[in-house]
Amino acid sequence: MADFWIYFNIGLKHVLSIFAYDHILFLLALTVPYEFKSWKKILILVSFFTLGHTLALFLSVFNILSIKSTVVEFLIPVTILIAALYNIIISGKSSKKENITFVGFCTLFFGIIHGLGFSNYFNSILSGKPTDKLLPLFEFALGIELAQIIIVIMALLVAYIVQTLFKFSKREWILMVSAFTVGVIIPILIQNEIWYK
């Protein structure tokens, strides 16, 4: 049971850390179009992200998939930028017609990219055969899932407060958060080491 808490906490801290701004920005970009009443969609999307993240770690543990860290570190902010730009494009459009399949597929893919970014560290903290790493991988995934749910609940609360007390429209909120995300991510992309290799 002690091992469970070790890897569960690593998963929690992987997302609930000031240094995990990439996860937080992605979760903000992913969930900003939604409200509390859409909690089922949000839970599905967050779970897709965790599934992709876990799948990437699984493939990495068994040496099935490996991508250069410089490429992954470039693709992570690209995924965040795409999510934010998508929100800007669809803001103001009716979400009733929205198909979760497209967003879900993208979220799964983005989870894979983010998981690949963590795979080297994950493999370095675990020794033994790949099969010995499966249970810690599952425990880590549970920690990530809970941490993401905490971030999403906080983001939804802030959105509710801003839209209720400060009378921002939903569209204004989506545009503001998405524009902020784009503003943070573009300098990170410009300064990425992939341009200097």
Side-chain angles (χ1 to χ4, degrees):
M1 191 64 174
D3 284 350
F4 172 83
W5 290 112
I6 290 171
Y7 298 109
F8 182 81
N9 280 325
I10 291 172
L12 273 176
K13 291 175 183 172
H14 179 59
V15 176
L16 296 178
S17 163
I18 191 138
F19 302 108
Y21 64 89
D22 58 335
H23 272 290
I24 294 168
L25 282 174
F26 182 76
L27 288 169
L28 287 175
L30 181 66
T31 59
V32 73
Y34 300 101
E35 300 166 297
F36 276 111
K37 64 184 178 185
S38 302
W39 67 270
K40 288 180 185 174
K41 278 186 180 178
I42 297 168
L43 185 59
I44 289 169
L45 291 175
V46 167
S47 297
F48 276 8
F49 185 86
T50 304
L51 179 65
H53 201 283
T54 305
L55 178 62
L57 291 177
F58 176 83
L59 295 173
S60 169
V61 161
F62 283 93
N63 293 317
I64 297 170
L65 180 62
S66 179
I67 298 177
K68 283 184 174 182
S69 62
T70 53
V71 173
V72 173
E73 292 304 318
F74 174 73
L75 289 176
I76 287 173
V78 167
T79 64
I80 298 166
L81 182 65
I82 290 170
L85 291 175
Y86 178 77
N87 290 337
I88 291 169
I89 292 166
I90 66 155
S91 69
K93 296 180 180 168
S94 174
S95 61
K96 291 179 182 167
K97 296 178 184 174
E98 179 188 289
N99 186 350
I100 197 168
T101 307
F102 172 75
V103 177
F105 175 77
C106 291
T107 305
L108 179 70
F109 176 72
F110 294 169
I112 291 169
I113 298 298
H114 286 245
L116 289 171
F118 190 70
S119 62
N120 287 336
Y121 175 74
F122 185 78
N123 283 318
S124 73
I125 62 172
L126 292 172
S127 59
K129 300 177 292 190
T131 52
D132 296 338
K133 299 177 184 182
L134 291 178
L135 185 58
L137 177 60
F138 176 71
E139 296 161 349
F140 174 78
L142 289 176
I144 283 187
E145 184 76 359
L146 179 60
Q148 291 183 141
I149 290 170
I150 291 168
I151 296 289
V152 167
I153 289 171
M154 290 171 49
L156 291 172
L157 282 171
V158 170
Y160 178 79
I161 291 167
V162 168
Q163 292 176 54
T164 305
L165 293 180
F166 300 107
K167 305 295 184 199
F168 278 74
S169 71
K170 182 178 175 183
R171 182 175 186 275
E172 289 170 333
W173 179 244
I174 292 170
L175 289 173
M176 189 171 75
V177 171
S178 300
F180 169 79
T181 303
V182 169
V184 170
I185 287 300
I186 287 182
I188 292 170
L189 279 170
I190 291 170
Q191 296 168 4
N192 191 281
E193 67 178 89
I194 203 165
W195 306 116
Y196 307 106
K197 291 258 175 180

